Amino acid sequence: MTDIALQLDRFSVGVSPFDAAHLGAVEPQLILRDLSLVVPAGTRLGIVGESGSGKSTLLRAWIGAIGHGLFVSNGTALTAGHNLFSLADDDRRQLLGSTVAMVPQSVAMSLTPHLSVAQHFAEVLGQDTDRTSQLLDEVGLNGAQLRRRFAHELSGGQQQRVLIALGLARDPHIVLLDEPTSALDVGVVHDILTMIAEAQHRRGFTLVCVSHDLSVIDRVADRVVVMQRGEIVEDASREQMNRRPSHSYTAELLAAAPTLGIRHVGADRGTAIDRVVPAPIVRAEALSVVRSSSRHRLGRANAASATTAVDTLTLEVFSGEILGVIGESGSGKSTLLKTICGLLPPTGGTVQWADGFDLATPVERRPIDMLRRIQMVFQNPDDSLNPAHSVRRLIDPTARRSWSRFGGGLKAAHDETLRELLNTVGLAPEMLERRGAKLSGGEKQRVAIARALAMKPELLLLDEVTSALDVTVQAGVLATLLDIHRRLATTMVFVSHDIAVVASIADRIAVLRNGRLVEVDVTNEMLSRPRDPYTARLIELARRTTAD
Amino acid sequence: MSAGAVIVGGHLLLALAASVLPLQSVVAQDSNAILQGASGAHWLGTDSLGRDVLSRTLHGGQPSIGVALVAVLLAAVLGFGLGTFAALVGGWLDDAIMRVVDVLLAMPSLLVLMLVASFIGREPVVLVATLALMYAPPIARVVRGASGNVLTRDFILAARLRGASRRAIVVGEVLPNIAEVFITEVAMQFTWILLAFSSLSFLGLGTSPPTAEWGLMISDARGFITVSPLPLLAPVAMLASLVLGVNALVDRRAQAALP
């Protein structure tokens, strides 16, 4: 084994001319520009960057597979002294797994659902059950028990551990991890990062970890490379970077990541808090929602297997406040929002509007006035904006008036109104004629917020609206939301799995777990004196990932 | 303009122009000139009854294309309606509708057409209705699948929160997102209906002699292929080129729609 594990020498990757022509690009576009990098054997390197920065492509260059439509336009990438692009297929296959192993990003798509865990290992190891169990034990799973389970029966965290164990199966000298924790809950993220760090320490392999999240890189790497638009803008030790980043982009990344206790956005929140009236705008009492996992469209469901998503929840949303709701996946936070806006029927308890209107009424049967009052913004703007429509069509509430129950209720929106709306969410008025599908992630989410605001709602439900966004974009959207709150005094319920994000925007925070309310308190109060041990753990984990 | 568009456009133009072009009579027989090759008087020769092949070939597109167009439009409306309705309501009604669609899909359409033509009648109205009914199921199936995917997306929820009616959701939100597959499927079914109708005429159950129609002409001419191939080849070429043209056009559209 050479002393240099991985190397890049003036390495560039471009979009193939054919595909570039397809995209309408005039010049061949470079995904990676002239990268040079040396990774000594046995070290731990983190690569951080936002989506589109080329970090995953860089990682894949070391296994000689950069993806369809891309080509190496210049330079070489060496893996343990081999250029995997020039090797014969058989030789390359020999190196993969034994010398270099890659753990792919998409956990859910990387395991075959109908194969058992043992069968996945059999493809790599043959029928070596002892070794399989041993590997599973090493990544913190009960090997003897889990071997027989099918991939689809595992939780996200378990799947991620199995993938890492598969990567380690043939004792690779180099392990490449692509976003190892991006779809996992905060508690699980902590455990998996600890496990990875331990495995690296024990086996001494060279570790390269790619993530959009600096706090993840912080936990597993000694050296950090920051990428932006296909270039390396910073290459420094972890300590050096946290203390004094040399590049402005790195500083921006560090500042944008919300940390607990510090208000990063909207420092002057005094005015907004003054407006909170302790009069509930929504009151839920002993609310329960049982969800059936059956085909469910436009309000009709037939019971198959049912889970209690919200369990006897009593909670009030005060007029004018931003109520933060946090919880891990499956805690019922999205269900709560969908119930309030009438997309899901409650199965027990009551939920009422301030004037006594029964919010159990499904959205199709709500009077127009009520419908207008409550609007929701969804997690993923790619999914919540119809890709076929222009921004104008998306945000204009009177578009296709004749088919909407708003028909007579609203006057046709004037261009001026729509431009003003775009201005409110921080978008240029020229965006009005653009196709929604052509916008960036942050712009899309702003359009989605504008669409909700177009109805002039009194209550805005925000479901993980920043979790699909890059950290700098997230900071911008949070600032916009606070700005809207200050100007329009719209009551907001902000749901997120990330306590740091919620704490940076919410006046009060409610913690949900398994559909039940753990506690609800004023933000600063909760951060300094959590009453429930579960809340305390969430806060501690969030502090640890940012403060390490 | 793509090759497919040129071919399809040319076909439509010829079928429309056949009535106004200075062509010879479709039905006039000349017993002195049967099964002749191409000549100045008859550019594509004559058939076994001495009728002008060029005139009959150009006129022959009218019943085929006409019937196929009307039938495919009906099938498209029926298929889109059924497919989106099933996807929208879900539950047992969805299952019931789609099982009926499956049953219709399982029936050999030519057999059904022959039975209908034999026992109910051979009027264009009957044939068009039967063709529409038999070729709507595949469209319904494709629409059902595609709109099912669209209906699970969050922008449908957002539309509901804005008070959109079911019709607004189907036409405003779903249709633009499935237009590509829908149009492709409809165009494909057009070629199948065209072939089915011609087959029916070929079997003597579609249009009746002496009408000029491609299937009927192929049927009439196949016995004389060794004597004079033109009366057979001309309608075959027309039928084949139209089907190929539609396919090319659809293929082109599908490729243009790729990101």
Side-chain angles (χ1 to χ4, degrees):
Chain A
M1 196 170 134
T2 48
D3 287 328
I4 294 173
L6 299 163
Q7 195 174 358
L8 291 180
D9 186 24
R10 302 186 66 82
F11 188 68
S12 297
V13 167
V15 179
S16 305
F18 175 77
D19 291 86
H22 221 77
L23 294 168
V26 188
E27 289 169 30
Q29 287 184 317
L30 290 181
I31 301 292
L32 297 178
R33 273 172 222 276
D34 226 14
L35 304 184
S36 295
L37 191 64
V38 174
V39 186
T43 58
R44 312 191 301 171
L45 173 72
I47 302 176
V48 69
E50 306 201 324
S51 45
S53 61
K55 54 193 193 304
S56 289
T57 306
L58 167 54
L59 201 63
R60 294 177 61 153
W62 280 318
I63 58 165
I66 46 174
H68 182 72
L70 301 180
F71 75 110
V72 179
S73 66
N74 187 28
T76 49
L78 296 181
T79 310
H82 302 279
N83 182 349
L84 265 64
F85 289 100
S86 61
L87 282 183
D89 278 354
D90 280 345
D91 298 335
R92 194 161 70 93
R93 219 169 285 136
Q94 199 49 48
L95 281 175
L96 294 178
S98 60
T99 302
V100 54
M102 171 144 166
V103 180
Q105 172 172 12
S106 177
V107 180
M109 287 198 286
S110 301
L111 295 173
T112 311
H114 69 271
L115 292 184
S116 69
V117 171
Q119 283 170 304
H120 278 95
F121 280 93
E123 287 180 353
V124 189
L125 297 171
Q127 298 294 337
D128 191 344
T129 46
D130 290 347
R131 180 95 177 94
T132 303
S133 299
Q134 193 188 328
L135 278 163
L136 288 172
D137 290 342
E138 186 179 347
V139 295
L141 294 171
N142 184 342
Q145 197 183 48
L146 222 88
R147 266 188 319 116
R148 283 176 227 290
R149 296 262 205 97
F150 287 100
H152 69 87
E153 295 176 308
L154 306 178
S155 71
Q158 287 171 329
Q159 290 185 345
Q160 185 67 64
R161 286 171 192 268
V162 167
L163 275 179
I164 293 171
L166 279 170
L168 299 179
R170 291 178 64 195
D171 295 319
H173 309 304
I174 304 162
V175 176
L176 309 174
L177 297 173
D178 194 1
E179 297 275 8
T181 58
S182 59
L184 304 173
D185 285 327
V186 52
V188 183
V189 168
H190 172 76
D191 294 345
I192 285 189
L193 293 179
T194 308
M195 182 272 287
I196 291 171
E198 281 170 8
Q200 195 277 336
H201 187 70
R202 193 164 49 241
R203 291 167 169 247
F205 51 73
T206 311
L207 176 72
V208 180
C209 179
V210 155
S211 177
H212 66 282
D213 189 343
L214 260 174
S215 65
V216 168
I217 298 297
D218 232 26
R219 295 283 310 281
V220 293
D222 307 313
R223 175 180 164 204
V224 184
V225 161
V226 181
M227 289 193 66
Q228 185 187 23
R229 279 183 237 114
E231 289 179 62
I232 293 177
V233 295
E234 174 123 24
D235 181 350
S237 75
R238 186 181 60 180
E239 293 77 22
Q240 193 185 345
M241 198 188 72
N242 278 334
R243 213 173 38 241
R244 193 164 38 82
S246 65
H247 194 273
S248 63
Y249 178 69
T250 316
E252 199 185 323
L253 271 183
L254 280 169
T259 44
L260 273 183
I262 306 161
R263 297 275 194 197
H264 273 284
V265 279
D268 61 323
R269 290 176 45 81
T271 48
I273 291 170
D274 288 347
R275 268 189 252 167
V276 177
V277 188
I281 193 168
V282 171
R283 180 188 284 132
E285 259 179 56
L287 178 69
S288 292
V289 185
V290 177
R291 291 189 74 165
S292 55
S293 62
S294 60
R295 291 148 64 189
H296 181 112
R297 286 176 219 112
L298 295 197
R300 269 169 212 251
N302 44 355
S305 61
T307 50
T308 308
V310 173
D311 194 358
T312 57
L313 180 83
T314 299
L315 185 65
E316 288 176 334
V317 183
F318 294 144
S319 182
E321 76 170 340
I322 300 181
L323 174 68
V325 177
I326 58 165
E328 301 183 50
S329 48
S331 61
K333 46 198 198 311
S334 290
T335 305
L336 176 65
L337 293 192
K338 285 183 177 166
T339 308
I340 291 175
C341 65
L343 291 172
L344 286 175
T347 46
T350 60
V351 52
Q352 286 183 326
W353 188 252
D355 63 3
F357 179 84
D358 186 6
L359 292 176
T361 317
V363 67
E364 273 77 14
R365 285 212 293 275
R366 290 187 180 187
I368 285 163
D369 240 21
M370 201 60 231
L371 209 52
R372 183 189 63 73
R373 285 194 181 120
I374 305 176
Q375 285 295 312
M376 181 160 166
V377 182
F378 299 86
Q379 170 169 7
N380 186 349
D382 285 323
D383 206 45
S384 72
L385 299 184
N386 193 328
H389 294 329
S390 68
V391 171
R392 172 195 295 278
R393 172 87 167 74
L394 283 168
I395 64 174
D396 184 355
T398 57
R400 300 258 177 180
R401 219 162 6 144
S402 53
W403 291 333
S404 162
R405 288 203 276 137
F406 282 101
L410 291 170
K411 277 182 284 179
H414 298 297
D415 275 14
E416 205 44 52
T417 324
L418 296 180
R419 292 213 182 89
E420 177 58 38
L421 199 57
L422 286 182
N423 187 33
T424 309
V425 296
L427 290 175
E430 301 88 71
M431 293 262 183
L432 211 50
E433 308 306 332
R434 298 265 293 277
R435 272 275 290 279
K438 303 269 183 204
L439 305 179
S440 73
E443 287 167 346
K444 280 181 192 164
Q445 196 58 291
R446 285 168 192 270
V447 170
I449 294 169
R451 172 174 63 185
L453 287 180
M455 308 294 283
K456 300 194 171 31
E458 287 162 34
L459 174 63
L460 194 57
L461 306 173
L462 304 156
D463 188 5
E464 298 267 12
V465 291
T466 60
S467 25
L469 305 176
D470 284 327
V471 57
T472 51
V473 181
Q474 166 176 286
V477 170
L478 289 175
T480 301
L481 285 173
L482 279 173
D483 184 51
I484 291 166
H485 184 248
R486 203 174 49 233
R487 285 204 270 169
L488 307 174
T490 314
T491 310
M492 298 183 186
V493 178
F494 186 95
V495 157
S496 175
H497 66 283
D498 188 336
I499 193 168
V501 172
V502 171
S504 72
I505 185 169
D507 302 314
R508 289 195 308 148
I509 297 180
V511 183
L512 293 193
R513 189 186 191 190
N514 298 330
R516 286 172 175 273
L517 182 69
V518 175
E519 65 174 299
V520 55
D521 208 340
V522 176
T523 303
N524 289 335
E525 197 66 25
M526 179 178 284
L527 291 183
S528 49
R529 280 183 294 280
R531 275 172 292 170
D532 192 276
Y534 177 69
T535 316
R537 178 171 154 77
L538 281 182
I539 293 171
E540 190 215 318
L541 284 175
R543 287 233 164 87
R544 197 183 306 169
T545 46
T546 48
D548 253 7
Chain B
M1 201 141 82
S2 69
V6 171
I7 296 174
V8 175
H11 264 286
L12 292 177
L13 206 65
L14 280 180
L16 287 174
S19 305
V20 292
L21 286 176
L23 292 168
Q24 299 186 22
S25 166
V26 176
V27 289
Q29 304 181 5
D30 183 356
S31 48
N32 292 324
I34 58 168
L35 293 174
Q36 287 186 343
S39 66
H42 303 285
W43 290 1
L44 288 179
T46 57
D47 68 2
S48 59
L49 295 172
R51 295 175 296 194
D52 182 57
V53 171
L54 176 67
S55 173
R56 289 181 64 77
T57 304
L58 294 188
H59 278 97
Q62 289 176 348
S64 312
I65 297 174
V67 164
L69 265 183
V70 177
V72 86
L73 285 179
L74 285 177
V77 171
L78 195 62
F80 182 77
L82 270 182
T84 47
F85 180 72
L88 211 54
V89 294
W92 66 269
L93 200 52
D94 177 20
D95 287 336
I97 293 171
M98 293 325 286
R99 290 305 80 77
V100 172
V101 162
D102 286 344
V103 168
L104 285 172
L105 274 172
M107 288 199 229
S109 47
L110 200 58
L111 202 64
V112 175
L113 282 165
M114 284 164 65
L115 288 173
V116 168
S118 308
F119 292 104
I120 299 178
R122 294 159 63 174
E123 295 80 15
V125 182
V126 176
L127 290 182
V128 163
T130 314
L131 283 166
L133 202 64
M134 293 309 295
Y135 287 87
I139 299 176
R141 177 151 286 292
V142 166
V143 167
R144 163 69 186 78
S147 50
N149 288 337
V150 176
L151 282 171
T152 59
R153 298 185 59 182
D154 281 347
F155 59 76
I156 301 294
L157 297 181
R160 289 171 62 196
L161 287 180
R162 289 158 73 88
S165 64
R166 289 197 168 191
R167 190 170 59 144
I169 287 176
V170 168
V171 182
E173 307 291 332
V174 177
L175 182 57
N177 286 293
I178 67 166
E180 209 53 53
V181 279
F182 176 58
I183 291 171
T184 306
E185 184 61 24
V186 168
M188 293 322 295
Q189 294 308 323
F190 169 78
T191 64
W192 289 115
I193 292 178
L194 188 75
L195 289 175
F197 180 69
S198 299
S199 308
L200 209 57
S201 297
F202 179 84
L203 295 170
L205 293 167
T207 46
S208 321
T211 315
E213 197 280 333
W214 294 335
L216 200 58
M217 290 169 67
I218 295 171
S219 171
D220 284 345
R222 74 198 148 117
F224 310 102
I225 186 166
T226 48
V227 186
S228 171
L230 274 177
L232 180 79
L233 290 181
V236 166
M238 292 298 273
L239 203 52
S241 63
L242 180 52
V243 170
L244 282 175
V246 171
N247 275 285
L249 189 63
V250 168
D251 207 37
R252 173 85 176 196
R253 271 191 64 94
Q255 275 184 8
L258 282 177

